[in-house]
Amino acid sequence: MYRQAAWDEPVIFKLGSKGRRGHSLPEAEDEVRRAVGNVDKLLPENMRRMQKPNLPELSEVEVTRHFIRLSEMNYGIDSGLYPLGSCTMKYNPKINEFLASLPTLNLVHPYQDESTVQGILEILYKLERWLGEITGTFEVCLHPAAGAHGEFLGTLLMHACLKQNGECDKRTEVIVPDSAHGTNPASAAMAGFKVIFVPSAADGCIDLEALKTVASEKTAGLMLTNPNTVGIFEKDIEEIAKVIHEVGGLLYYDGANLNPLLGKARPGDMGFDIVHINIHKTFGTPHGGGGPGAGPVGVSRELAQFLPVPRVAFDGKRYRLDYDKPHSIGKIRSFQGNVAVLLRAYVYMLSMGFEGLKEAAEVSVLNANYVMKKLGNVKGLTLPYDSGKPRKHECVISAKTLKEDTGVSALHVAKRLLDFGLHAPTIYFPLIVDEALMIEPTETFEKEELDRFVEALRRTCEEAYTNPQNVLTAPHNTAVSRLDEVKASHPRTMTLSWRMHLKKEETS
Ligand SMILES: *Cc1c(COP(=O)(O)O)cnc(C)c1O
């Protein structure tokens, strides 16, 4: 068992006292004054702040203790297993963080003269080519800031292609399987397409016959995750590609589940025309809590002309930014995207090498299947879409029987796991599985950690039968217990800044 620290930690504004300082360095202003004269004259009058900002004033130890205490009431990727499904919450090697924070890389300004940023341009140029190689696509653009942003770019590219062919009015539909992530239909809708859902078949793959009936001359494209969100490889992918291409549509690859394919199979070879990569899921850069991420998009030769500008170009001697792309859809993100995230991916790929990436894919599949097999014996849990075949990097388990038998749902199981010092898996996704627990152990955990996770789940299910009340009221050992799920994700009820807090105090 596990007990999380539970400090009564106030917000930082309530700590410290007036005039207290966290350092004993000379006044920065004195230094500047000596170097450049009167600082007040440096800034135009209308740009000067007349009032000092209302900042907390604390000593160094107060600041350190405040944030250490807060971190003790939190759970992170460095605390233990983080089995969120389809999210690939893998270990983030510290060397990535170290190299990406080198001042020579992260103090570079996007408006610097090209001749002074040859190094970073080379890194971006190479990363585009490596990602092209890994995904089997002709050209990659690094700009999108997340997977969902990559999807949006992808659907805009579909649109650009239709426009060039004069087919905008004719091809208005994008097909999405019912196991898809919610961002797929959202992206298609944002680009102006009508979303057509196709069901999954009994084996968890897309229903090929159903696909054939909805594919038509109205189809702009199909968005597909492979392996899909149930963790199953779409075995009919070549046939699927044929169906879509024969009606004149494009095939879009949602790359959230690329981890188990690294060095093994390439979406481009399967017939995908547009591919996004969730850099923060597959290439060892941190994520969670909303970012920052990166969602590069790779495309076929025909679609490369539409990619956003500027493209990083290389003439054999110098790297430069190329804006001369008359068919480009324009910009979807400032400069080259989230470069610090891309840098981490570059370091990750460089340090792993091709063989290392392949091994990561293999171990991620091994770990997911190990967990799946072990959980197969747990009373109350079942494996949906089971045709005896292995899963790829994740498995989706159903707690439907458990709920029917005991009243303990997937949500309750997830909450109880927190008492074991574990992060919960994804729950209630994909939507096609009742009481879904979607588990992705990734390649980064030892067998002992996986066993600990399986044991915690087994004990939780056992407890559901013997002492359901204890599971229904979990978690018991965390800093905060049950949160109001709706309120917690509703921006209108959240107090996001000290200023908002003061306003609230004033009005209440
Ligand atoms: C995470 C995820 C996305 C969206 O990616 P973000 O980087 O979070 O925007 C899309 N599809 C699937 C299957 C995912 O798991």
Side-chain angles (χ1 to χ4, degrees):
M1 270 295 162
Y2 156 90
R3 307 232 177 275
Q4 195 170 46
W7 299 96
D8 285 326
E9 191 64 14
V11 293
I12 198 164
F13 285 89
K14 299 240 160 128
L15 296 172
S17 76
K18 198 132 197 68
R20 201 169 283 171
R21 286 287 173 271
H23 60 78
S24 54
L25 299 171
E27 285 267 330
E29 286 182 11
D30 292 349
E31 291 288 305
V32 178
R33 213 167 262 130
R34 222 166 293 140
V36 297
N38 191 350
V39 257
D40 298 338
K41 295 246 167 71
L42 277 178
L43 280 175
E45 191 152 2
N46 62 353
M47 294 181 78
R48 270 181 243 156
R49 207 198 290 257
M50 287 308 148
Q51 275 173 339
K52 284 200 169 170
N54 176 23
L55 296 176
E57 298 180 82
L58 295 88
S59 68
E60 183 181 332
V61 278
E62 280 179 303
V63 173
T64 309
R65 285 174 185 158
H66 174 69
F67 287 108
I68 290 288
R69 282 181 182 144
L70 290 180
S71 77
E72 285 170 353
M73 298 198 293
N74 205 353
Y75 188 92
I77 198 79
D78 289 329
S79 315
L81 194 85
Y82 217 114
L84 288 178
S86 273
C87 278
T88 314
M89 296 293 291
K90 63 207 280 177
Y91 163 62
N92 309 133
K94 296 297 168 266
I95 190 172
N96 296 1
E97 304 306 309
F98 170 71
L99 289 172
S101 60
L102 289 180
T104 41
L105 292 171
N106 75 7
L107 290 186
V108 166
H109 195 280
Y111 279 137
Q112 256 174 259
D113 189 84
E114 276 166 24
S115 66
T116 67
V117 288
Q118 287 294 302
I120 191 87
L121 291 180
E122 180 182 345
I123 286 174
L124 297 173
Y125 183 87
K126 284 188 173 162
L127 183 60
E128 284 189 349
R129 267 125 206 99
W130 292 353
L131 294 173
E133 185 61 36
I134 284 278
T135 55
T137 51
F138 178 74
E139 190 168 333
V140 172
C141 169
L142 301 174
H143 301 185
H149 199 191
E151 289 172 32
F152 182 52
L153 169 58
T155 46
L156 290 181
L157 294 173
M158 278 187 192
H159 204 266
C161 183
L162 293 179
K163 202 166 159 196
Q164 195 178 59
N165 299 340
E167 291 187 316
C168 278
D169 296 334
K170 187 177 138 203
R171 295 188 185 275
T172 52
E173 298 177 352
V174 166
I175 304 171
V176 176
D178 60 1
S179 61
H181 195 260
T183 49
N184 290 185
S187 302
M190 270 181 76
F193 293 109
K194 185 172 167 214
V195 179
I196 308 288
F197 282 101
V198 273
S200 302
D203 63 355
C205 292
I206 196 168
D207 185 331
L208 198 55
E209 292 314 309
L211 179 69
K212 282 178 187 163
T213 61
V214 295
S216 72
E217 70 286 347
K218 285 195 205 155
T219 303
L222 166 73
M223 297 178 87
L224 197 65
T225 311
N226 196 18
N228 63 29
T229 60
V230 191
I232 299 172
F233 189 85
E234 294 282 352
K235 59 182 190 327
D236 301 320
I237 184 58
E238 285 176 328
E239 180 70 17
I240 293 169
K242 212 170 121 209
V243 170
I244 296 301
H245 287 153
E246 268 175 7
V247 298
L250 293 167
L251 206 57
Y252 182 93
Y253 182 82
D254 177 331
N257 292 348
L258 187 65
N259 208 42
L261 298 194
L262 294 177
K264 294 280 177 184
R266 309 192 307 171
D269 298 338
M270 299 173 204
F272 286 96
D273 306 285
I274 311 171
V275 174
H276 89 244
I277 305 143
N278 302 64
I279 285 288
H280 45 288
K281 293 183 183 176
T282 310
F283 294 104
T285 82
H287 74 117
V297 167
V299 294
S300 61
R301 183 187 293 269
E302 295 70 37
L303 292 168
Q305 56 179 316
F306 303 118
L307 287 175
V309 283
R311 317 286 312 125
V312 180
F314 183 55
D315 63 9
K317 277 205 200 90
R318 310 294 292 171
Y319 294 89
R320 63 184 183 84
L321 294 174
D322 184 5
Y323 287 86
D324 187 20
K325 299 276 168 191
H327 299 290
S328 165
I329 63 157
K331 272 178 176 292
I332 48 125
R333 176 74 166 71
S334 51
F335 308 111
Q336 293 296 312
N338 280 333
V339 171
V341 174
L342 298 166
L343 274 173
R344 289 174 173 88
Y346 179 84
V347 177
Y348 181 73
M349 292 177 88
L350 197 59
S351 57
M352 295 286 277
F354 184 73
E355 288 304 319
L357 293 176
K358 212 158 111 178
E359 196 182 336
E362 288 166 0
V363 179
S364 75
V365 174
L366 178 67
N367 283 359
N369 285 281
Y370 178 75
V371 167
M372 179 184 81
K373 280 272 184 252
K374 287 256 168 178
L375 291 177
N377 306 323
V378 174
K379 189 176 171 202
L381 301 183
T382 53
L383 182 68
Y385 301 110
D386 187 14
S387 53
K389 293 215 190 92
R391 295 297 196 254
K392 285 288 174 269
H393 65 306
E394 67 188 0
C395 58
V396 180
I397 307 282
S398 171
K400 187 167 175 253
T401 310
L402 188 78
K403 190 180 174 192
E404 284 164 1
D405 289 351
T406 68
V408 167
S409 67
L411 174 79
H412 301 123
V413 170
K415 295 290 180 194
R416 184 64 176 138
L417 281 178
L418 307 183
D419 284 336
F420 290 85
L422 292 161
H423 196 282
T426 298
I427 50 173
Y428 300 108
F429 182 75
L431 305 176
I432 55 172
V433 174
D434 282 335
E435 297 298 323
L437 291 159
M438 186 195 211
I439 302 162
E440 181 181 353
T442 81
E443 71 282 3
T444 50
F445 294 99
E446 301 79 8
K447 182 173 168 295
E448 298 82 52
E449 184 77 354
L450 299 180
D451 286 337
R452 215 162 68 78
F453 174 71
V454 169
E455 179 58 14
L457 251 178
R458 194 194 59 74
R459 278 176 60 183
T460 300
C461 293
E462 195 178 86
E463 193 179 35
Y465 284 96
T466 55
N467 183 7
Q469 202 51 31
N470 205 40
V471 187
L472 292 169
T473 51
H476 307 289
N477 305 337
T478 48
V480 289
S481 53
R482 273 304 173 80
L483 295 170
D484 183 328
E485 306 266 332
V486 179
K487 223 172 173 181
S489 59
H490 201 299
R492 243 183 295 169
T493 56
M494 279 197 261
T495 310
L496 296 169
S497 69
W498 179 239
R499 217 176 289 171
M500 281 172 79
H501 177 79
L502 288 179
K503 214 172 222 158
K504 217 171 179 177
E505 272 192 346
E506 248 171 52
T507 54
S508 68

